[in-house]
Amino acid sequence: MRVERELMRGAGPIAVLRLLEPGEKYGYELIQSLEKQSDGVLAMGQSTLYPLLYNLEAKGLIASRETVAENGRARKYYRLTGRGKAQLARDRKQWEALTAAMGKLGLAGA
Amino acid sequence: MPEAVSTSTWHRLRHTPLRDLLRLRVSGRLDWRRVIQDASVADEIKGVVRDVVLRTRLWRSEKASVARELIAHFADAVGAGVPVDRVIDRFGDHKQAARLIRRAKIRNRSYVWHALRFIRRAMAAMLLFYLGATVYYLSGKPTVSVDYLAKLNEPVLATPESDRAWPIYRHALAIYLKDPMPDARLPSEDGWPNTVAWLERNQLPLQAIREAAARPSLGVVLRRDEDPQDAEALGDPGSTKVGRTPIDESLLGLTMPQLNQLRAFASALAADASRGAQLRDAARVEGDFQALFQMSEQLQKREALLEGLTGTGTRVLGLFVLQRILDQQPDVLTDDALVRLAHRLSRERTAADLISLKGERYAFRDMVQRTYTDDGAGGGRLTPQGAQFLKDYENRRRFGWQNAMSPQSGIGAWYETSTDYVAGPATMMLSASRKDLLEQFDAYMDLVDTRLRQNLRDAPDDPEQLPKVGHGAFDSVRYAPIASFNRDLRLMQILAERVLGVQEGTQIAIALETYRRKHGAYPEELQLLVPTYLPSIPADRIDGRPLRYRLTANKPVIYSVGVDRDDDNGRAPVRNGKPDPFLAGYWSPERMVDGDWVRFPLNYD
């Protein structure tokens, strides 16, 4: 199911922060995780993901490092920063509150 | 088709960051095209990456970073078994991707870069704004819609010819100029015998001057160019003004050559009065004084400030000579003559009775209509012609009316013009609007008019400081035309007060003489003159109490306590080795002069 762009604009960054919470990931890995763990609802192309990552990096919520992968190719890994963790915690609360409110309206499943 | 990328050392050198060069490493890391070319991915993928990276228009280092990341992503996808066309298809729109990547990467740049970008944009915006202001400024043109010269001449043109004095003065002028008066003005001066001979030869023009002075109106029609009849009287073929400027066309450029001639007539009358006193010719003496004061009144009725000031000068000349005669030859004047002169000298009380500011208001409005646009509702803005006008006017005020001209040609003219056009829009934006300027000027002049009707001692705390428009640097620029126009009206009020002081001293001197003739001696105190010889004792212009009086060697001395407000018993301060009767009457918080302001007798040497 395709999600409206405006809704995606709010959900996308939080989803990426959440995916980075367990540990660092690289770009393709993030795209795969987003698609798989959200059953395709939060799937996004490279043209969306990389600008999103650069924005999060500009805000100091994530940091990157370049390394050489086992296949010999250069690869950039992204990880959550302390600020990113704090932001994720705040966003998590907001989404929980939002989901609860939508549930009471009959718009979110129990 | 893959793009061919140079492999030369120079190319790699150009694409190596400074940091690497300093470490003696020619890494070529900034060569994003090489990054793409050297990648182990399909050509179609390289094409996508190249297209997106190119569209980002980022710095080379950022492009190289984005290229590496996108290549890695595509390689990971292909490595995971996703077909190339599907990977490309799932990439998304190239333009949008490039735009979003660019925006995000720019956000990531340093604070310094963002600050510099803000400054660049701000400067560009300011430049654009200033260019717009320049166009707006250059499009402004003043409109001369009111003939203020005609307004100044309205009272004269409404006066019957038979009441106008100037035609007779002009006749006297023609005779006078053929035989100018020698320099000596008083019997005590060297060369007085030559003056006496001249006076005897010129009784005809002097009589014409007395007749002219008796007319109610001066009757001069002010003109921008020379009156042909005056030119004929002067024996002048007529001057042609070459290169008339906008200032010459305005009231500010108005010349009044008749004032010089009237001053010369006044000097002749004053000298004739002294000669008449020597001959004990009472009628002649009184006739000359009446003419002097009538001439002064003719000038004081006029609306141009310069004419009023000339009238004031004529008055003080007459008072000076009259006091001298009252002091040294009091018996010359008849009793009736004394009464008539006393009556003539009783009218003026304040500076407003001596000078008029109506002409100044006209002159300023004329200046504004020649320097500002007119939007028809009272508003308007400064024009390029206006800025030039004000600059020329200021130069003339500082360096002399005839001398100060802007360079008309050559590099000087080019420089002046170009700097004027560059600075002009800023001047226009900083200057007050036409409406605001006129309102401020009117408020200022209303205040000055009120002050001129007061005695200086009744003015606010600082008697010398008439209201100054434009306090502070910003207002000085904003209301620069008013500051430039400023006639130093406070000094004119001080001058007027001094003249009125001398006049009051003369009135009392006349009353004392009349008393002496009746009683055989001067009174012990001034109060004895009231009301028979003087309606009241004039107040001291400094402290408001009655003027002081004492007898010294049986001669009266009338005085004010002076600006130090200390009664020195009529002792005038000394300047250049001589008593100066006026010095202590000069209002100035900085100069506390020790001594009294003597109103009678003055120092005649």
Side-chain angles (χ1 to χ4, degrees):
Chain A
M1 173 185 175
R2 267 187 91 78
V3 175
E4 290 282 339
R5 184 192 287 183
E6 290 303 319
L7 285 174
M8 198 59 192
R9 197 172 278 173
I14 302 165
V16 167
L17 291 178
R18 173 65 186 95
L19 286 173
L20 291 175
E21 193 178 20
E24 62 180 16
K25 290 184 173 60
Y26 56 92
Y28 184 71
E29 198 178 358
L30 275 167
I31 279 191
Q32 293 298 106
S33 301
L34 268 170
E35 184 164 358
K36 198 171 168 184
Q37 293 184 39
S38 70
D39 295 330
V41 172
L42 296 177
M44 61 174 78
Q46 284 168 274
S47 62
T48 306
L49 175 71
Y50 285 101
L52 192 154
L53 287 171
Y54 299 149
N55 273 327
L56 290 174
E57 193 171 12
K59 288 176 186 173
L61 301 178
I62 62 176
S64 64
R65 66 177 182 93
E66 286 199 27
T67 185
V68 178
E70 56 279 354
N71 55 15
R73 289 193 206 106
R75 186 175 276 166
K76 199 180 220 182
Y77 283 85
Y78 293 92
R79 69 178 190 285
L80 210 56
T81 61
R83 213 160 140 191
K85 287 177 186 168
Q87 183 67 37
L88 179 60
R90 284 194 292 273
D91 290 344
R92 181 178 266 130
K93 281 188 184 154
Q94 287 185 35
W95 274 102
E96 285 168 359
L98 186 64
T99 311
M102 289 300 202
K104 285 176 185 167
L105 291 172
L107 286 169
Chain B
M1 182 106 164
E3 193 182 334
V5 178
S6 172
T7 56
S8 69
T9 307
W10 171 240
H11 179 88
R12 286 178 61 218
L13 202 65
R14 278 175 47 224
H15 289 84
T16 300
L18 184 63
R19 196 191 317 170
D20 290 354
L21 285 175
L22 290 173
R23 290 178 186 156
L24 302 177
R25 281 174 47 206
V26 183
S27 61
R29 283 196 296 126
L30 303 179
D31 190 356
W32 58 274
R33 286 188 170 84
R34 174 155 297 285
V35 168
I36 297 170
Q37 184 179 293
D38 293 349
S40 308
V41 291
D43 287 344
E44 296 90 333
I45 292 174
K46 288 182 186 178
V48 168
V49 174
R50 189 180 300 116
D51 185 42
V52 171
V53 170
L54 198 61
R55 285 175 189 275
T56 61
R57 296 180 289 117
L58 290 167
W59 293 340
R60 289 183 304 171
S61 58
E62 291 166 334
K63 280 180 180 169
S65 170
V66 170
R68 274 192 282 273
E69 191 153 13
L70 292 181
I71 291 285
H73 183 98
F74 278 116
D76 287 337
V78 168
V82 179
V84 168
D85 56 352
R86 196 164 162 224
V87 167
I88 291 173
D89 193 49
R90 286 172 71 179
F91 178 80
D93 180 61
H94 296 189
K95 273 190 196 169
Q96 189 185 8
R99 186 170 51 81
L100 292 173
I101 289 170
R102 174 181 169 76
R103 195 189 296 172
K105 278 291 190 184
I106 283 177
R107 269 203 198 116
N108 225 350
R109 289 178 183 171
S110 68
Y111 288 123
V112 171
W113 183 88
H114 282 284
L116 287 173
R117 183 169 81 154
F118 176 78
I119 290 169
R120 273 197 305 273
R121 286 182 174 179
M123 286 178 67
M126 282 170 59
L127 187 64
L128 206 63
F129 172 75
Y130 201 76
L131 282 171
T134 301
V135 170
Y136 182 59
Y137 171 68
L138 293 176
S139 67
K141 298 266 180 295
T143 312
V144 179
S145 55
V146 178
D147 186 350
Y148 284 102
L149 184 60
K151 279 184 172 292
L152 262 185
N153 284 326
E154 267 172 17
V156 179
L157 296 172
T159 304
E161 287 275 353
S162 55
D163 286 350
R164 299 186 200 177
W166 185 249
I168 306 178
Y169 281 131
R170 186 190 294 129
H171 174 68
L173 181 65
I175 304 170
Y176 177 92
L177 284 173
K178 291 186 178 72
D179 183 12
M181 191 172 100
D183 292 337
R185 297 286 186 267
L186 292 171
S188 55
E189 292 178 26
D190 294 336
W192 176 249
N194 295 332
T195 301
V196 168
W198 182 87
L199 288 169
E200 297 317 319
R201 288 197 301 274
N202 285 280
Q203 282 303 305
L204 199 60
L206 278 168
Q207 185 52 35
I209 292 169
R210 291 189 199 100
E211 283 170 19
R215 292 202 166 179
S217 165
L218 182 60
V220 169
V221 177
L222 296 172
R223 302 166 63 101
R224 289 193 175 88
D225 49 16
E226 195 169 18
D227 187 318
Q229 287 181 295
D230 288 352
E232 191 183 333
L234 287 166
D236 183 346
S239 60
T240 307
K241 266 194 182 170
V242 179
R244 291 181 71 91
T245 67
I247 294 180
D248 296 323
E249 293 298 321
S250 74
L251 287 188
L252 294 174
L254 212 58
T255 54
M256 298 178 200
Q258 68 278 5
L259 297 183
N260 281 337
Q261 285 123 30
L262 289 170
R263 285 191 203 104
F265 291 162
S267 290
L269 285 171
D272 194 70
S274 292
R275 178 59 183 159
Q278 280 185 321
L279 298 173
R280 305 198 72 79
D281 185 347
R284 184 170 170 176
V285 172
E286 189 197 350
D288 287 332
F289 282 128
Q290 290 289 355
L292 268 166
F293 297 129
Q294 284 165 338
M295 186 190 296
S296 167
E297 287 162 14
Q298 286 172 342
L299 285 161
Q300 279 157 206
K301 281 183 207 167
R302 304 277 292 181
E303 290 173 346
L305 180 62
L306 207 51
E307 291 171 314
L309 291 174
T310 303
T312 304
T314 304
R315 176 173 295 273
V316 85
L317 175 62
L319 291 170
F320 182 86
V321 177
L322 178 56
Q323 278 209 11
R324 181 180 162 278
I325 290 173
L326 286 170
D327 182 42
Q328 296 176 357
Q329 294 175 277
D331 294 329
V332 165
L333 288 161
T334 65
D335 293 350
D336 289 341
L338 288 176
V339 169
R340 284 190 288 267
L341 285 171
H343 184 70
R344 184 161 288 282
L345 297 178
S346 65
R347 297 166 199 172
E348 293 79 16
R349 285 280 174 263
T350 65
D353 296 322
L354 297 179
I355 54 181
S356 167
L357 297 181
K358 198 166 184 181
E360 299 302 283
R361 292 183 187 252
Y362 284 158
F364 188 81
R365 279 183 146 68
D366 192 41
M367 178 174 78
V368 170
Q369 72 170 351
R370 292 171 192 277
T371 52
Y372 278 71
T373 61
D374 184 358
D375 66 3
R381 63 187 187 276
L382 188 65
T383 63
Q385 297 88 335
Q388 185 62 45
F389 183 109
L390 292 170
K391 193 173 80 163
D392 285 346
Y393 179 60
E394 188 62 25
N395 282 340
R396 288 191 188 197
R397 279 187 63 225
R398 288 187 190 193
F399 305 119
W401 205 251
Q402 302 302 326
N403 301 329
M405 293 285 287
S406 298
Q408 299 299 310
S409 62
I411 194 80
W414 173 85
Y415 179 73
E416 280 223 10
T417 304
S418 51
T419 49
D420 287 348
Y421 280 131
V422 169
T427 308
M428 176 196 72
M429 286 187 284
L430 288 171
S431 297
S433 69
R434 178 181 177 135
K435 189 171 177 214
D436 186 15
L437 187 70
L438 286 172
E439 280 175 4
Q440 285 292 323
F441 179 75
D442 285 341
Y444 172 60
M445 292 300 274
D446 288 345
L447 209 51
V448 171
D449 264 334
T450 304
R451 293 289 295 271
L452 289 179
R453 283 172 173 72
Q454 295 172 319
N455 292 307
L456 266 178
R457 68 170 181 274
D458 298 325
D461 289 339
D462 184 357
E464 189 167 62
Q465 300 301 321
L466 274 177
K468 286 181 194 159
V469 173
H471 289 282
F474 179 67
D475 273 357
S476 303
V477 173
R478 189 166 173 71
Y479 301 110
I482 298 177
S484 188
F485 188 80
N486 185 17
R487 295 281 195 259
D488 212 349
L489 294 166
R490 72 179 189 276
L491 282 181
M492 289 172 197
Q493 183 164 16
I494 292 170
L495 169 70
E497 286 262 318
R498 288 166 71 177
V499 172
L500 291 168
V502 174
Q503 183 155 298
E504 284 158 359
T506 312
Q507 283 177 286
I508 299 175
I510 292 174
L512 284 168
E513 174 56 23
T514 310
Y515 182 98
R516 185 192 68 82
R517 290 182 187 187
K518 179 92 186 277
H519 297 277
Y522 292 111
E524 288 299 312
E525 54 185 44
L526 283 183
Q527 198 53 43
L528 294 173
L529 296 174
V530 180
T532 309
Y533 305 97
L534 210 58
S536 62
I537 308 299
D540 186 336
R541 289 186 169 269
I542 304 293
D543 68 3
R545 295 170 61 191
L547 280 172
R548 279 50 164 197
Y549 165 74
R550 68 178 173 85
L551 287 170
T552 305
N554 213 30
K555 294 274 248 172
V557 176
I558 303 156
Y559 65 97
S560 151
V561 293
V563 288
D564 66 352
R565 289 170 171 76
D566 178 37
D567 190 339
D568 293 296
N569 224 21
R571 175 182 60 82
V574 172
R575 181 161 67 170
N576 298 330
K578 294 180 192 173
D580 186 331
F582 295 107
L583 196 58
Y586 187 83
W587 287 90
S588 169
E590 295 90 31
R591 278 197 283 170
M592 265 310 141
V593 178
D594 177 34
D596 293 334
W597 177 9
V598 176
R599 307 292 193 86
F600 176 82
L602 304 174
N603 181 3
Y604 308 115
D605 291 332

